Amino acid sequence: MRISARADYAVRAALQLAAAEDAGPLKAEAIAADQDISHKFLEGILGDMRRGGLVQSQRGGNGGYWLARPAATISVADVIRCVEGPLVSVRGERPPDLSYTGPAESLLTLWIALRASVRDVLGVSLAELAAAKLPAGIVALADDPEAWTNP
């Protein structure tokens, strides 16, 4: 699986907003500076997130961006889907829309399992991630030394 710069930046921006949830709107310039993201690129990402219903914005001196709903109800998967589309696709199609025959028939089960695994890991909420309180199962996966090596 490949996480694009766009998806990485969107999650990082969402985490900035989650960390400032009770502090009021954040300016895009401030998020861009804090996360070392191009301001222009970030504006496009925040626009997608606004259109996707994850953030709200207001113009003006007291304006900026904020999460459209509580950080505990927004998952990393929600953010990635908002800026990139489906989490797992094969040739641009969702796994349930595929069919295989012969020796490749069980490949569909593998793609569905992959999608379920990705959903499970990326189901972590922005609130959990911003507070560094990841679920034990996620921490256990990352604690495995094999997870840190490239085969």
Side-chain angles (χ1 to χ4, degrees):
M1 180 173 183
R2 182 180 170 276
I3 304 295
S4 69
R6 184 174 185 76
D8 178 55
Y9 294 170
V11 172
R12 288 165 49 195
L15 287 169
Q16 283 288 137
L17 295 171
E21 196 166 28
D22 298 325
L26 291 181
K27 302 268 187 223
E29 296 89 358
I31 298 169
D34 286 348
Q35 291 298 321
D36 195 26
I37 300 170
S38 158
H39 176 252
K40 186 172 182 167
F41 192 38
L42 181 60
E43 283 284 356
I45 291 168
L46 289 168
D48 286 347
M49 292 171 67
R50 186 180 45 76
R51 285 185 290 282
L54 293 183
V55 301
Q56 293 180 328
S57 65
Q58 178 179 322
R59 294 180 186 221
N62 293 326
Y65 293 88
W66 63 93
L67 294 176
R69 54 185 209 261
T73 68
I74 301 172
S75 71
V76 173
D78 293 333
V79 176
I80 294 173
R81 279 188 202 103
C82 189
V83 298
E84 293 284 350
L87 296 175
V88 175
S89 65
V90 180
R91 303 182 323 264
E93 295 184 52
R94 294 172 190 253
D97 297 334
L98 301 170
S99 65
Y100 297 98
T101 59
E105 193 170 343
S106 62
L107 190 55
L108 180 58
T109 302
L110 182 74
W111 296 149
I112 296 294
L114 173 65
R115 184 172 75 162
S117 296
V118 168
R119 282 180 175 171
D120 188 41
V121 171
L122 297 181
V124 171
S125 76
L126 295 178
E128 291 170 308
L129 198 53
K133 293 184 178 179
L134 295 171
I138 303 297
V139 173
L141 285 170
D143 280 347
D144 179 356
E146 291 295 315
W148 294 85
T149 62
N150 293 325

